[in-house]
Amino acid sequence: MRKTPKQERSRQMIDTLIDATARCIIEKGLDFTTTSRIAELANVSVGSLYQYFSSKEALIEALMNNMASDIGKGLQRLPISETSTLRDLVTGAIHYGFTMLNSRNGLYLELARNWHRLPTDKVANALQQHFLELSRIYFLKYYREYPIENLEVRIFIIVNSTIFTMVRLISQENSMWREEDVENGLIEMILAYLQTKTTAA
Amino acid sequence: MRKTPKQERSRQMIDTLIDATARCIIEKGLDFTTTSRIAELANVSVGSLYQYFSSKEALIEALMNNMASDIGKGLQRLPISETSTLRDLVTGAIHYGFTMLNSRNGLYLELARNWHRLPTDKVANALQQHFLELSRIYFLKYYREYPIENLEVRIFIIVNSTIFTMVRLISQENSMWREEDVENGLIEMILAYLQTKTTAA
Amino acid sequence: MRKTPKQERSRQMIDTLIDATARCIIEKGLDFTTTSRIAELANVSVGSLYQYFSSKEALIEALMNNMASDIGKGLQRLPISETSTLRDLVTGAIHYGFTMLNSRNGLYLELARNWHRLPTDKVANALQQHFLELSRIYFLKYYREYPIENLEVRIFIIVNSTIFTMVRLISQENSMWREEDVENGLIEMILAYLQTKTTAA
Amino acid sequence: MRKTPKQERSRQMIDTLIDATARCIIEKGLDFTTTSRIAELANVSVGSLYQYFSSKEALIEALMNNMASDIGKGLQRLPISETSTLRDLVTGAIHYGFTMLNSRNGLYLELARNWHRLPTDKVANALQQHFLELSRIYFLKYYREYPIENLEVRIFIIVNSTIFTMVRLISQENSMWREEDVENGLIEMILAYLQTKTTAA
DNA sequence: AATGAATGAGACTTCATTCAT
DNA sequence: AATGAATGAAGTCTCATTCAT
């Protein structure tokens, strides 16, 4: 029995367009990502683009959603074994972050740079949510004796701190700092912070 | 000896234009800051604008430089007495950061949001430099027994972590977190991090 | 003898499309009547639409022809008895006009508004022709003693005067005039005009 | 003392653009009147067009206002002497109407054809108002013994009847009727109508 | 025959920058 | 020096029509 070709083709066109958008952002930067350039990169007419996405924004939003889901999947694949220490966990997550930002030829980097003009909320929330769950699971499992207070706020601070420190680092042409050092620094900072007891407010 | 009126006028014109740019960014946001609006706010013609600044970018760069110098001056005014603990110092700096981002009707906030499209380097570098010096002085003075390793990298991480966590917090319409909690969290994180010894790489 | 199914289907498809066009014009107005919307309303593909009509214009022309024939049929059903006065006749016709323009949810109103961009000629001519015949019959029957001069021109004037006065009246959101008053006014005007002898040119 | 050249130039540009709009409508018809064509006809860049008119609609509205004021001025110049009969008055007005619709190479004709898509209200109201005043003055002066009832409604009917009968006549390629005959017919109709007493409602 | 995805010309509008006055 | 009118490339989006399946 044949698969439904319509939806197949639709799905493919949608993916092609989102992919073209990604490539355009990578090649030209978000500021020079235009609907006609996207269509051109997709080897498709502008009209087609608008048959599948009601606006440039919708297209970028779709890309962001893909991104959110990618990141989510990646996070779930992070290895957490019984012998994982908190340091292992944090190191893994930080590493994952750098991998992400350097992946796809800097696509995520450029999106992160422009977070304010983009429908970032979904991605950011997803990210925070994922880390929150990850942390909860971890702390419930292995740190029952050290319940973390204010976990949400801490995750918020850590996630944002990490992302933007990374983005800034990678964005610098000739950085004065080695990626390795910053990576280690972030790990230390996060670990130190997580092991802190909240002071009485 | 007469003052050189030309340069006086120039200086004044330049300041007026930079100020108009700031007001425009505050009122309309960076995306809707156009050269003609700037000129209009400065009560000056667009032509004049281009007599003093070769491009919109140049104008914004000047604004950024002013900003950098403002921030520098502010930092130098941070009170550090002999009795200041490290916590006092960090608390003061974080507070200063929030004050800055909320000052000038959100001008710095908007600029920080759009850092990637702006000539941020100078500001960021200035900021980092200032904090570096501040820290050096502090640690040399009171912590001679605890020499901080990798101070530059740590400052880089801390400054970026702080700025963007704050920006993200302030940018959220109805934030899920109280400013106070985030402020405290940042302070704890930074303090914990600074008191960490670098692990052997 | 079997009916020819092809032609049956054709006829039905054609009618469906014309009907969809009418519905689209009613719902969206002529300016927002697009081929794809028509096809959608007809539960048919755009491609099929073009199998039956060579262009959007052809489709609308067909609708106009249907309209002409509808109006013609309606006019023939206007009651003219032996005891009808001229006033009865005119009143009936004016009433018919208003009924028409308000019928089909304003379809004819919208078409009349846009007469210039449409192949109006057929409809207008049909209308004029019908009224001409109606008048001829009437005057021949009952007014033999008052032969109307220049009947064609008079009908032309009356028909156009009536249609557009009505269209303008109905199109006004909050008309300053009651429909009843305009209706009576038109009747008076037409009656007065028909009872006029042509002055020597 | 020099005239203010700015306003001079502005005024001239505005007039040029409105004039170009008029020419474009005349040459291409309203449907093919585009902002770039207008700019081209005005020997001006599109940008300039938008410096003076915020949108295509604004430009067309300005043209309509000019039209309204032209028509108003023309009406005020209609000769009404003491010896004018009602027939003289009506004849003059009808004549004026035909002159108008034929003037400016059919500009007003095309605008009248497209009344429904245009900001017609101002023009139509102006026209009705002018005729109303004209009629009031006339009837007050010379027909005190025959006060016209429902003058407003009558004027509404007459103005619309006249305009569209004319527009339809002129729009026909090879009209079946001589302009003279229709003109006379309209005059007779209007005169007959105005001399009618309103029937009790 | 039917489908509907694809096309692409063309519409409106913005804004950094220039240049005649 | 100052002005601000003029420029025009570039951007987003629509829709009648075609054509491969």
Side-chain angles (χ1 to χ4, degrees):
Chain A
M1 207 163 32
R2 288 212 299 125
K3 289 253 182 88
T4 57
K6 278 174 210 170
Q7 293 205 7
E8 278 297 301
R9 201 149 21 121
S10 274
R11 188 67 235 161
Q12 189 178 307
M13 175 93 260
I14 286 173
D15 288 344
T16 305
L17 283 168
I18 294 179
D19 181 60
T21 306
R23 266 154 49 218
C24 197
I25 290 174
I26 291 164
E27 286 167 26
K28 308 280 183 181
L30 188 65
D31 277 324
F32 299 97
T33 291
T34 67
T35 48
S36 41
R37 260 202 266 262
I38 293 171
E40 197 180 7
L41 279 179
N43 273 324
V44 142
S45 67
V46 212
S48 287
L49 189 157
Y50 279 91
Q51 199 131 39
Y52 290 94
F53 294 95
S54 61
S55 71
K56 191 189 171 187
E57 273 66 44
L59 188 45
I60 288 180
E61 190 171 330
L63 175 62
M64 300 289 283
N65 284 338
N66 275 13
M67 179 180 170
S69 121
D70 276 5
I71 293 175
K73 281 179 205 150
L75 279 174
Q76 285 169 352
R77 270 191 245 103
L78 279 190
I80 315 176
S81 69
E82 296 213 357
T83 62
S84 299
T85 61
L86 186 56
R87 173 172 296 272
D88 293 338
L89 189 70
V90 169
T91 303
I94 295 295
H95 217 87
Y96 177 72
F98 270 106
T99 308
M100 261 329 197
L101 284 180
N102 281 317
S103 72
R104 303 206 59 184
N105 293 302
L107 170 64
Y108 293 162
L109 180 63
E110 176 71 3
L111 293 175
R113 276 173 186 147
N114 292 282
W115 67 274
H116 180 247
R117 315 152 72 200
L118 298 171
T120 309
D121 284 5
K122 240 168 274 182
V123 181
N125 289 341
L127 211 55
Q128 279 162 214
Q129 208 55 38
H130 282 305
F131 275 112
L132 201 55
E133 282 168 30
L134 205 64
S135 320
R136 273 204 188 112
I137 291 167
Y138 185 83
F139 286 108
L140 277 173
K141 236 177 177 168
Y142 307 106
Y143 269 62
R144 210 164 305 165
E145 63 272 29
Y146 300 122
I148 305 288
E149 299 168 74
N150 291 328
L151 193 56
E152 283 89 347
V153 171
R154 292 192 191 215
I155 294 293
F156 174 77
I157 292 173
I158 291 172
V159 167
N160 284 296
S161 294
T162 307
I163 291 177
F164 287 106
T165 300
M166 289 172 174
V167 170
R168 287 263 307 151
L169 178 70
I170 300 176
S171 293
Q172 286 174 341
E173 289 292 300
N174 300 308
S175 178
M176 305 181 60
W177 297 280
R178 291 163 51 211
E179 198 166 306
E180 192 191 332
D181 290 340
V182 174
E183 192 167 337
N184 285 332
L186 280 167
I187 292 168
E188 295 310 325
M189 181 173 77
I190 294 166
L191 282 173
Y193 181 33
L194 283 177
Q195 285 157 358
T196 298
K197 296 247 161 141
T198 305
T199 53
Chain B
M1 202 163 44
R2 284 215 301 126
K3 289 249 183 96
T4 54
K6 270 183 204 170
Q7 291 203 10
E8 272 301 297
R9 192 142 40 104
S10 280
R11 187 67 234 161
Q12 189 180 308
M13 172 101 267
I14 286 172
D15 288 343
T16 306
L17 283 168
I18 293 176
D19 181 60
T21 306
R23 266 152 51 216
C24 196
I25 290 172
I26 291 165
E27 285 167 26
K28 307 284 182 178
L30 188 64
D31 279 326
F32 300 97
T33 291
T34 65
T35 47
S36 40
R37 263 205 263 259
I38 293 170
E40 194 182 8
L41 281 178
N43 276 323
V44 143
S45 67
V46 217
S48 289
L49 186 157
Y50 276 88
Q51 201 110 43
Y52 291 96
F53 294 95
S54 61
S55 70
K56 194 189 172 188
E57 284 192 358
L59 185 46
I60 288 180
E61 188 170 335
L63 173 63
M64 300 291 282
N65 285 336
N66 275 14
M67 178 180 170
S69 120
D70 274 8
I71 292 175
K73 280 178 206 153
L75 278 174
Q76 284 168 355
R77 271 191 245 103
L78 278 190
I80 315 177
S81 69
E82 296 213 357
T83 61
S84 299
T85 62
L86 187 56
R87 173 173 295 272
D88 292 338
L89 188 71
V90 170
T91 303
I94 294 295
H95 220 87
Y96 178 72
F98 271 105
T99 307
M100 263 325 196
L101 284 180
N102 283 316
S103 74
R104 302 202 60 180
N105 293 303
L107 170 64
Y108 293 161
L109 179 62
E110 177 71 4
L111 293 176
R113 274 178 190 143
N114 294 280
W115 65 273
H116 178 249
R117 313 153 72 198
L118 299 171
T120 311
D121 284 3
K122 244 165 268 181
V123 181
N125 289 341
L127 209 56
Q128 280 161 213
Q129 209 55 41
H130 282 303
F131 273 112
L132 202 55
E133 279 168 34
L134 202 65
S135 320
R136 272 201 189 113
I137 291 166
Y138 185 83
F139 286 110
L140 278 173
K141 235 176 178 169
Y142 308 105
Y143 271 64
R144 211 164 307 166
E145 64 272 28
Y146 301 122
I148 303 288
E149 300 168 76
N150 292 328
L151 192 57
E152 285 89 347
V153 171
R154 292 191 193 214
I155 294 293
F156 173 78
I157 293 173
I158 290 171
V159 167
N160 284 295
S161 294
T162 307
I163 291 177
F164 287 106
T165 300
M166 288 172 173
V167 170
R168 288 262 305 157
L169 178 71
I170 299 177
S171 293
Q172 285 173 345
E173 289 291 301
N174 299 309
S175 178
M176 304 182 60
W177 297 279
R178 292 162 52 209
E179 198 166 305
E180 193 191 332
D181 291 341
V182 175
E183 192 167 335
N184 286 331
L186 280 168
I187 292 169
E188 296 309 324
M189 182 172 76
I190 293 166
L191 281 174
Y193 181 33
L194 283 178
Q195 284 158 357
T196 298
K197 297 247 164 143
T198 305
T199 54
Chain C
M1 202 162 45
R2 284 214 301 125
K3 290 246 181 101
T4 54
K6 269 183 206 172
Q7 291 204 10
E8 272 301 298
R9 192 139 43 102
S10 280
R11 187 66 234 161
Q12 188 179 307
M13 172 102 266
I14 286 172
D15 287 344
T16 305
L17 283 168
I18 293 176
D19 181 59
T21 307
R23 267 153 49 216
C24 196
I25 290 172
I26 290 165
E27 286 167 25
K28 307 284 181 179
L30 188 63
D31 278 326
F32 299 98
T33 292
T34 65
T35 48
S36 39
R37 261 205 265 260
I38 292 171
E40 194 182 9
L41 281 178
N43 275 324
V44 143
S45 67
V46 214
S48 288
L49 187 157
Y50 276 88
Q51 201 110 42
Y52 291 95
F53 293 95
S54 62
S55 71
K56 194 188 172 188
E57 284 193 358
L59 185 46
I60 288 181
E61 187 169 336
L63 173 63
M64 300 292 283
N65 284 337
N66 274 15
M67 178 180 169
S69 120
D70 274 8
I71 293 176
K73 280 178 204 151
L75 278 174
Q76 283 169 357
R77 270 191 244 103
L78 278 190
I80 314 175
S81 69
E82 295 213 358
T83 60
S84 299
T85 62
L86 186 56
R87 174 173 294 273
D88 292 338
L89 187 71
V90 169
T91 302
I94 293 295
H95 220 88
Y96 178 72
F98 271 107
T99 306
M100 262 326 194
L101 284 181
N102 282 318
S103 72
R104 302 203 61 182
N105 292 303
L107 170 65
Y108 293 161
L109 178 63
E110 178 70 5
L111 293 175
R113 276 178 188 141
N114 294 282
W115 66 273
H116 177 249
R117 313 153 73 199
L118 299 171
T120 312
D121 284 4
K122 243 166 268 182
V123 181
N125 288 341
L127 209 56
Q128 280 161 214
Q129 208 54 40
H130 281 304
F131 274 111
L132 200 57
E133 279 169 32
L134 202 65
S135 320
R136 274 206 187 107
I137 290 166
Y138 185 84
F139 286 111
L140 277 173
K141 234 175 177 172
Y142 308 104
Y143 269 64
R144 210 163 308 165
E145 64 273 31
Y146 298 121
I148 303 288
E149 300 168 75
N150 292 328
L151 193 56
E152 283 89 347
V153 171
R154 292 194 192 215
I155 294 293
F156 173 78
I157 293 173
I158 290 171
V159 167
N160 283 297
S161 294
T162 307
I163 291 177
F164 286 105
T165 300
M166 288 172 174
V167 170
R168 288 262 305 156
L169 178 70
I170 299 177
S171 293
Q172 285 172 345
E173 289 292 299
N174 300 308
S175 179
M176 305 181 60
W177 296 279
R178 292 163 51 209
E179 196 166 307
E180 191 191 334
D181 290 340
V182 174
E183 191 165 338
N184 286 331
L186 279 168
I187 292 169
E188 296 308 324
M189 181 173 78
I190 293 165
L191 282 173
Y193 180 33
L194 283 177
Q195 284 157 0
T196 298
K197 297 247 164 141
T198 305
T199 55
Chain D
M1 208 164 34
R2 288 214 296 127
K3 288 254 184 90
T4 56
K6 279 174 211 171
Q7 292 205 8
E8 278 297 301
R9 206 160 3 132
S10 274
R11 188 68 235 160
Q12 188 179 307
M13 175 94 260
I14 287 173
D15 288 344
T16 306
L17 282 169
I18 294 178
D19 181 59
T21 306
R23 266 154 48 217
C24 195
I25 290 173
I26 291 164
E27 285 168 26
K28 308 281 183 179
L30 188 65
D31 277 323
F32 300 97
T33 292
T34 67
T35 47
S36 42
R37 261 203 264 262
I38 292 170
E40 197 180 7
L41 279 179
N43 272 324
V44 142
S45 68
V46 214
S48 288
L49 188 156
Y50 279 90
Q51 200 131 40
Y52 291 94
F53 295 95
S54 61
S55 70
K56 191 188 171 187
E57 273 66 43
L59 189 45
I60 287 180
E61 190 171 332
L63 175 61
M64 301 289 284
N65 283 338
N66 274 12
M67 178 180 171
S69 122
D70 275 7
I71 293 175
K73 281 179 204 149
L75 279 174
Q76 285 169 354
R77 269 190 246 104
L78 280 189
I80 314 176
S81 68
E82 296 213 359
T83 61
S84 298
T85 62
L86 186 56
R87 171 171 297 272
D88 292 337
L89 189 71
V90 170
T91 302
I94 294 295
H95 216 87
Y96 177 72
F98 271 106
T99 306
M100 261 327 197
L101 284 181
N102 282 317
S103 73
R104 305 205 58 183
N105 293 303
L107 170 65
Y108 292 161
L109 180 63
E110 176 71 4
L111 293 175
R113 276 174 185 148
N114 293 281
W115 65 274
H116 179 249
R117 314 153 71 201
L118 299 171
T120 309
D121 284 5
K122 239 168 274 182
V123 181
N125 289 342
L127 209 56
Q128 279 162 214
Q129 209 54 38
H130 281 304
F131 275 112
L132 201 55
E133 280 170 32
L134 205 65
S135 320
R136 273 201 188 113
I137 290 166
Y138 185 83
F139 286 110
L140 277 172
K141 234 175 178 170
Y142 307 107
Y143 269 64
R144 210 163 307 165
E145 64 274 26
Y146 299 122
I148 303 287
E149 299 169 77
N150 292 327
L151 192 57
E152 283 89 348
V153 172
R154 293 192 192 214
I155 294 292
F156 174 77
I157 293 173
I158 290 171
V159 167
N160 283 296
S161 294
T162 307
I163 291 176
F164 286 106
T165 301
M166 289 173 175
V167 170
R168 288 261 309 150
L169 177 71
I170 300 176
S171 293
Q172 286 173 340
E173 290 292 301
N174 300 308
S175 177
M176 305 181 60
W177 296 279
R178 291 163 52 211
E179 198 165 304
E180 193 192 333
D181 291 341
V182 174
E183 192 166 337
N184 285 331
L186 280 167
I187 293 169
E188 295 309 325
M189 182 173 77
I190 294 165
L191 281 172
Y193 181 34
L194 283 177
Q195 284 157 358
T196 297
K197 296 250 164 139
T198 304
T199 55

